[in-house]
Amino acid sequence: MSTTHSLQKLLDKMWLDYTQLNPAAKKIHDCFVQEGEKVLNDHVAYRTFNHPKLGLQSLAQHFEKYGYEAKSDYIFKEKKLYAKHYEHSNKELPKIFISELELEKVEPFIADEVEKMVQEVPTSLIQSEEILTCGRPWKINHKTYLKLAEVSEYASWVSAFGFRPNHFTVNINALKKFKSVQDVNAFIQAKGFDLNQSGGLIKGTPEELLEQSSTMAKEVQVQFSEGPYPVPACYYEFAKRYSMPSGEIYQGFIAKSADKIFESTNRTKRV
Ligand code: NI
C-alpha cells in the first residue's frame, strides 16, 4: 500500500470515529454536499496531556511518518496549553493541530489523576496509530471527571473521551457557493445548529488572516464507573484563510481565537 493510500485510510478512520460520536458533524457535512460542495478539511485537532508518555509528540509521530511536518507552535497562557500544528506537502490534506495541557502549571491533583490514567495505557497502543481513534483507554469515575472540569474543562474532556479527533474543520476557501464565514454561519443556523458565541460568532479578522467559527459540542452519554452521564463531545469548525503580502495563503493559527474555540466543549457555555 502506498503512503498516500495508508494516510487517506487513517484520515477516513478518524472521520468515521468523529462522526459516529458526533452525528451533527456528518449532518452538516452532508448539507454542504447537498449544495454541490466538495468538503475539504482545513485541520483536525487532538488534545492530550504533556505527560512524558503521552505528550503531543506521541500523537504527532503517527502523522510525521506520513510526511507531516511541525510548523508553528502556540501558547495558551490562561488555559495552560501548548500546541503545535503540522502540515503535509499535499495542501488538500488537513493540517493537524495538537494541544497538550501543561501539567506542571496546573493543580497537582490533575497531574496525579493523569498519572493514574496513563498507567492504564499500554506502550504498544501509544506506538500504534490506533491511538488516534482509540477513545478512552482508562477507567474513570464521574466524580473525578467533575472535579477535573471545575479546574480545567480541557482536562475533563480528555479524561472522558481519551484520544480521538476533537474536531474537524471545514475549509471555507475550498467551497464554491459559500464565500464567507458569515455565509456558512447563516446556512448552519438556518439548519438548526447552535454556534459557539464565546468571543462573538466569528473569531479572528481578515487582518489576522484567519476567521473561524464553530458549533457547540452536543452532549453524549459517556460511561463512567457510576454509570452513564451526559458530557459535551466534539464540535465542527469552519475556517476561512486570507493571503499574506507574499500572496500565499496564511496557514497558521491565532492563539486568541483558538482560545475561544476551545470553549466549544465547555459544560458552562451551553446554549
Ligand atoms: Ni480548530
Side-chain angles (χ1 to χ4, degrees):
M1 241 182 333
S2 71
T3 304
T4 320
H5 185 76
S6 307
L7 173 56
Q8 195 53 55
K9 258 185 82 178
L10 171 64
L11 293 167
D12 290 348
K13 200 174 161 201
M14 287 158 49
W15 172 252
L16 188 67
D17 175 72
Y18 168 72
T19 50
Q20 277 172 347
L21 186 67
N22 309 279
K26 175 80 167 73
K27 281 186 201 147
I28 293 171
H29 172 273
D30 292 349
C31 288
F32 284 116
V33 173
Q34 276 159 21
E35 295 292 315
E37 298 286 2
K38 181 187 172 200
V39 180
L40 290 184
N41 292 303
D42 179 85
H43 64 275
V44 185
Y46 276 89
R47 296 178 172 184
T48 188
F49 303 108
N50 75 345
H51 187 281
K53 263 182 82 181
L54 270 173
L56 66 82
Q57 188 53 38
S58 58
L59 300 181
Q61 60 178 338
H62 301 297
F63 293 105
E64 286 174 329
K65 75 175 183 231
Y66 292 120
Y68 272 93
E69 284 176 26
K71 290 290 175 183
S72 305
D73 58 355
Y74 310 90
I75 291 161
F76 302 88
K77 219 174 155 199
E78 203 182 306
K79 293 189 172 62
K80 318 236 175 355
L81 303 174
Y82 173 75
K84 264 187 184 181
H85 97 261
Y86 298 79
E87 290 177 32
H88 197 275
S89 56
N90 177 351
K91 296 298 173 207
E92 289 230 326
L93 294 175
K95 289 172 274 296
I96 305 292
F97 183 93
I98 311 177
S99 54
E100 61 183 13
L101 181 70
E102 299 178 292
L103 294 171
E104 69 282 4
K105 295 186 184 167
V106 294
E107 285 75 349
F109 90 87
I110 298 187
D112 294 346
E113 291 300 335
V114 169
E115 187 61 47
K116 282 187 237 166
M117 294 175 209
V118 170
Q119 275 173 17
E120 290 186 55
V121 187
T123 307
S124 58
L125 177 62
I126 301 166
Q127 285 162 354
S128 145
E129 69 181 38
E130 297 289 317
I131 193 160
L132 299 173
T133 50
C134 75
R136 190 187 72 199
W138 49 69
K139 287 186 232 45
I140 184 162
N141 60 57
H142 191 245
K143 230 165 102 181
T144 307
Y145 163 81
L146 286 179
K147 205 176 153 199
L148 288 170
E150 268 170 39
V151 186
S152 166
E153 290 278 351
Y154 182 101
S156 72
W157 190 92
V158 183
S159 79
F161 292 107
F163 306 105
R164 59 194 330 161
N166 172 266
H167 62 273
F168 273 70
T169 307
V170 173
N171 174 351
I172 297 177
N173 298 59
L175 298 176
K176 292 186 194 76
K177 273 197 193 172
F178 301 85
K179 298 286 173 221
S180 65
V181 185
Q182 285 89 340
D183 288 349
V184 167
N185 287 352
F187 177 66
I188 288 161
Q189 285 181 311
K191 298 279 180 193
F193 297 96
D194 294 326
L195 294 173
N196 174 344
Q197 312 266 356
S198 176
L201 273 187
I202 300 177
K203 285 67 160 166
T205 61
E207 293 69 41
E208 290 171 299
L209 307 176
L210 173 62
E211 290 180 301
Q212 294 161 278
S213 69
S214 68
T215 62
M216 281 309 286
K218 286 233 184 319
E219 288 183 333
V220 303
Q221 294 292 321
V222 172
Q223 193 62 39
F224 293 95
S225 308
E226 305 93 324
Y229 286 87
V231 179
C234 308
Y235 53 92
Y236 205 17
E237 191 181 306
F238 314 95
K240 168 144 179 154
R241 297 181 176 277
Y242 292 85
S243 298
M244 298 183 283
S246 67
E248 271 182 90
I249 305 262
Y250 177 67
Q251 296 298 335
F253 292 83
I254 309 292
K256 184 166 62 105
S257 302
D259 193 71
K260 297 293 174 205
I261 294 267
F262 274 119
E263 296 176 11
S264 307
T265 54
N266 278 18
R267 299 156 312 129
T268 47
K269 299 275 165 143
R270 311 275 87 210
V271 285

